[in-house]
Amino acid sequence: MKIMTTTSELRKELSKLERPVGFVPTMGYLHEGHLSLVDKAREDCVAVVVSIFANPSQFAPDEDLENYPRDIDRDVELLENAGVDLVWIPTVEVMYPEGYQTWIDVDQLSKLLEGTFRPTHFRGVATVVSKLFNAVGPDKAYFGQKDAQQAAVIQRMVRDLNFPIEIIICPIVREPDGVAMSSRNTYLDQEERLAARCLSRGLFLARDAYLNGERRAEIIKKIVSDEVEFEELAQLQYVSCADPNTLEELENQIQDCLVSMAVFVGRTRLIDNIILGK
Ligand code: AMP
């Protein structure tokens, strides 16, 4: 496995790879969720490239970039064991050289849901992913359903800007108790980690209700919010029932629906979601 920092090193190594090339962008501190994307890429493609870059432009000044967990040695070992061919670990200077001023804005999708609370987040995501795509030039790129809105934004961007890349969205990998795997789970102390179960518990109860015929958006959302409200250490930021494609909020009777939520558990902001009806 080759590890690179600069784009010229990357270009040289990429030219030696056989196609199709699968690409998995990450911010590092890898877990089974990330590795599930790598496994899928391995299955589909001849070569697999992974990037590790905690992208400053998708963090607001009051968010957790400084403290974002990092363990490059462990990440590299996990990727080596997973059979990855190239790991690209660019520096901030490589990605955003002095004077940098070009941004990608996926206008409508970026404003909804997460965008209400993180107004500059998806501009940072779309920009860095397009830069990573330009540098790596993969045939296929793999993203997790865990970040449902990110997946929608990237799919829109790829269509709008004619990136010749197939986007593959992989299911959420959960801990045995239902909590969605996330690098940010590491911020939780023992009590908070237990409290974090309220997100998936609420979503699974909503799924049960849906399977039993419940179609009222307000009731589905109430089932989710009640689970969070029972939990003393948790504070709901939002719960939404939205169209899975447009992310527009659904009123009244739902058919297919993305139920998504953000919750503060202590000071840690967690997100989770489930798709109903597909
Ligand atoms: P991150 O390092 O958090 O930027 O995540 C890198 C990629 O892994 C993104 O496409 C995420 O959606 C995906 N991912 C993160 N957590 C999970 C999970 N629990 N299950 C599946 N994919 C995930």
Side-chain angles (χ1 to χ4, degrees):
M1 188 175 78
K2 291 266 167 36
I3 301 166
M4 289 130 328
T5 306
T6 65
T7 34
S8 52
E9 288 171 291
L10 174 72
R11 210 168 296 130
K12 198 165 119 221
E13 292 301 327
L14 280 168
S15 66
K16 300 180 196 160
L17 295 183
E18 282 185 54
R19 295 204 166 254
V21 169
F23 176 46
V24 181
T26 81
M27 298 205 298
Y29 211 74
L30 303 179
H31 51 64
E32 292 294 323
H34 298 111
L35 296 177
S36 74
L37 307 185
V38 172
D39 288 347
K40 180 77 174 99
R42 256 276 63 99
E43 258 173 60
D44 294 352
C45 301
V46 176
V48 177
V49 179
V50 174
S51 64
I52 300 176
F53 182 61
N55 172 36
S57 73
Q58 70 191 67
F59 290 79
D62 61 339
E63 292 179 348
D64 56 350
L65 174 64
E66 293 291 297
N67 301 321
Y68 197 81
R70 286 159 217 251
D71 189 342
I72 290 290
D73 293 343
R74 181 173 158 277
D75 288 349
V76 164
E77 193 181 329
L78 287 170
L79 295 175
E80 176 105 59
N81 292 338
V84 168
D85 298 274
L86 299 185
V87 183
W88 188 31
I89 314 178
T91 59
V92 174
E93 292 71 32
V94 165
M95 294 306 276
Y96 299 105
E98 212 186 310
Y100 189 87
Q101 52 184 293
T102 305
W103 300 98
I104 305 287
D105 212 338
V106 180
D107 193 41
Q108 297 299 318
L109 286 176
S110 297
K111 291 194 176 107
L112 306 165
L113 301 175
E114 286 289 288
T116 318
F117 303 96
R118 307 183 74 192
T120 58
H121 175 66
F122 290 110
R123 179 176 102 138
V125 169
T127 301
V128 82
V129 170
S130 62
K131 286 173 64 71
L132 294 167
F133 281 179
N134 281 335
V136 175
D139 299 286
K140 298 173 192 257
Y142 297 79
F143 293 84
Q145 177 63 25
K146 163 76 173 27
D147 300 284
Q149 187 171 5
Q150 168 172 286
V153 165
I154 300 300
Q155 283 174 307
R156 187 72 254 165
M157 178 186 86
V158 161
R159 285 199 294 271
D160 289 354
L161 296 183
N162 309 99
F163 279 102
I165 301 171
E166 185 185 349
I167 302 299
I168 291 145
I169 309 301
C170 301
I172 300 178
V173 178
R174 298 181 177 281
E175 301 283 358
D177 66 358
V179 172
M181 289 193 180
S182 165
S183 309
R184 291 189 167 95
N185 292 348
T186 179
Y187 299 145
L188 304 170
D189 68 24
Q190 227 172 355
E191 264 184 281
E192 290 169 343
R193 176 61 186 74
L194 288 174
R197 293 179 299 181
C198 69
L199 285 85
S200 52
R201 215 164 47 222
L203 294 172
F204 295 158
L205 286 171
R207 180 182 57 196
D208 293 345
Y210 183 89
L211 292 174
N212 286 322
E214 183 58 71
R215 292 292 183 273
R216 291 166 296 179
E218 285 315 310
I219 303 292
I220 300 269
K221 287 194 275 194
K222 174 113 179 36
I223 290 169
V224 177
S225 61
D226 278 354
E227 267 321 287
V228 178
E229 267 149 36
F230 287 142
E231 194 56 75
E232 243 176 62
L233 295 177
Q235 178 140 35
L236 184 72
Q237 191 171 47
Y238 72 85
V239 54
S240 151
C241 280
D243 180 291
N245 299 312
T246 64
L247 305 183
E248 297 286 350
E249 200 62 27
L250 297 170
E251 314 265 324
N252 307 321
Q253 297 286 316
I254 57 168
Q255 287 304 323
D256 297 343
C257 167
L258 170 71
V259 185
S260 64
M261 66 197 304
V263 173
F264 278 96
V265 179
R267 290 165 56 184
T268 304
R269 187 175 184 277
L270 300 177
I271 58 169
D272 201 350
N273 70 83
I274 200 163
I275 301 242
L276 303 180
K278 273 201 175 162

